[in-house]
């Protein structure tokens, strides 16, 4: 790990949405806690409840620790700073895994569109 003076520098985190930034929590009227604003009505996305102990579950760590720098395909992609892995909640709904879908073809098509 790199250091600046006596302070260790954190690993970079490419963030597409607030759900994986660790800086957003959304509360429902029942006290349920979510990281993704679009999934507030979906109980499978619940990461905790203000009336339960512990308030935040292990599922919250899954969202907070999501980082495309840990995924070789994304880490080695020239478009990773543009897409940051896309919308993780969409992939979680489709695949039941918090794993990004490659959008490289999309970005390549946009470059062709601008160039030609």
């Amino acid at each position: 790990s790199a250091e600046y003076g006596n302070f260790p520098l954190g690993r970079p985190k490419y963030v597409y949405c607030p759900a994986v930034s660790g800086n957003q929590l959304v509360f429902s009227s029942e006290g349920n806690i979510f990281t993704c604003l679009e999934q507030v009505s979906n109980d499978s996305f619940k990461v905790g409840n203000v009336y339960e102990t512990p308030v935040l579950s292990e599922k919250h760590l899954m969202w907070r620790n999501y980082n495309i720098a840990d995924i070789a395909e994304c880490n080695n992609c020239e478009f990773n700073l543009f897409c940051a892995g896309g919308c993780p909640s969409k992939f979680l709904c489709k695949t039941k895994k918090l794993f990004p879908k490659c959008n490289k073809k999309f970005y390549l098509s946009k470059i062709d569109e601008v160039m030609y």
Side-chain angles (χ1 to χ4, degrees):
S1 143
E3 289 188 10
Y4 180 77
N6 293 328
F7 301 99
L9 297 177
R11 292 183 52 230
K13 184 169 185 176
Y14 309 105
V15 177
Y16 175 83
C17 71
V20 295
S21 71
N23 298 325
Q24 172 179 282
L25 293 175
V26 183
F27 299 86
S28 73
S29 57
E30 297 85 23
N32 292 326
I33 305 169
F34 302 85
T35 59
C36 180
L37 182 60
E38 290 184 25
Q39 299 295 339
V40 170
S41 62
N42 187 341
D43 280 347
S44 66
F45 280 80
K46 181 176 110 172
V47 298
N49 187 291
V50 296
Y51 302 113
E52 297 172 2
T53 304
V55 173
L56 292 173
S57 68
E58 292 290 320
K59 195 182 276 189
H60 179 254
L61 289 176
M62 174 187 73
W63 284 92
R64 191 173 176 120
N65 292 334
Y66 177 85
N67 190 348
I68 64 163
D70 298 329
I71 301 165
E73 295 87 356
C74 292
N75 203 17
N76 297 322
C77 179
E78 62 269 27
F79 299 109
N80 62 10
L81 294 177
F82 293 104
C83 84
C87 178
S89 76
K90 287 181 184 174
F91 308 130
L92 191 59
C93 284
K94 290 178 184 176
T95 66
K96 305 295 184 217
K97 294 179 183 175
L98 197 58
F99 193 83
K101 179 183 177 211
C102 185
N103 290 315
K104 194 174 197 173
K105 288 181 183 178
F106 170 78
Y107 288 106
L108 285 171
S109 72
K110 291 298 177 189
I111 288 173
D112 285 344
E113 198 175 289
V114 170
M115 298 289 284
Y116 303 105

